[in-house]
């Protein structure tokens, strides 16, 4: 019953911005930590960012720190990823990931993903 639907991806130029969204349903969204992960060609699934259930703490992979911002709106059951200063290396399929508890980002469920392509 858990559903995670990503949106907001697309084609962007280097230096541009995108805002990804994840609409969650089928569970009490506000009780779970959430993450974003991505998969680029030739690479495995890479953890990108995580946020605690209340949004009180956020964490980022070194590769995206300072450019990506994770946030959530528990009233709307929605997770966001604001991506600024896009680089070609950010090209990947981005997944919204449900954690296992308030502070545990361990992968439980993930959506179908939204494609981000960065090219000139």
């Amino acid at each position: 019953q858990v559903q995670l639907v990503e949106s907001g991806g697309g084609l962007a130029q280097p230096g541009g911005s995108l805002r990804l969204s994840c609409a969650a349903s089928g569970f009490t969204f506000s009780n779970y930590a959430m993450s974003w992960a991505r998969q680029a060609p030739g690479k495995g699934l890479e953890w990108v960012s995580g946020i605690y259930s209340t949004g009180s703490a956020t964490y980022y992979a070194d590769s995206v720190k300072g450019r990506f911002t994770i946030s959530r709106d528990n009233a709307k059951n929605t997770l966001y990823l604001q991506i600024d200063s896009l680089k070609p290396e950010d090209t990947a399929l981005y997944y919204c990931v449900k954690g296992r508890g308030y502070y545990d980002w361990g992968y439980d469920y993930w959506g179908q993903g939204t494609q981000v392509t960065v090219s000139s």
Side-chain angles (χ1 to χ4, degrees):
Q1 292 182 314
V2 172
Q3 294 184 349
L4 301 169
V5 182
E6 300 94 337
S7 62
L11 178 64
Q13 295 184 338
S17 297
L18 288 171
R19 184 173 174 83
L20 309 185
S21 298
C22 170
S25 62
F27 65 101
T28 305
F29 180 75
S30 61
N31 287 349
Y32 291 88
M34 300 290 293
S35 296
W36 286 96
R38 66 186 182 184
Q39 188 169 33
K43 296 183 178 180
L45 193 66
E46 176 191 18
W47 182 85
V48 172
S49 182
I51 186 168
Y52 283 160
S53 62
T54 63
S56 59
T58 58
Y59 299 87
Y60 300 90
D62 288 342
S63 59
V64 306
K65 194 173 298 181
R67 299 186 299 114
F68 288 24
T69 303
I70 190 171
S71 63
R72 64 193 297 162
D73 187 337
N74 286 345
K76 297 181 179 179
N77 289 352
T78 303
L79 178 72
Y80 302 98
L81 185 67
Q82 177 68 39
I83 307 175
D84 297 318
S85 301
L86 278 161
K87 300 178 179 179
E89 306 91 85
D90 295 322
T91 296
L93 186 63
Y94 284 73
Y95 296 97
C96 172
V97 184
K98 175 186 177 292
R100 298 181 184 275
Y102 290 108
Y103 315 111
D104 186 358
W105 299 301
Y107 295 174
D108 190 11
Y109 292 89
W110 53 89
Q112 295 299 306
T114 184
Q115 179 68 41
V116 171
T117 302
V118 184
S119 176
S120 298

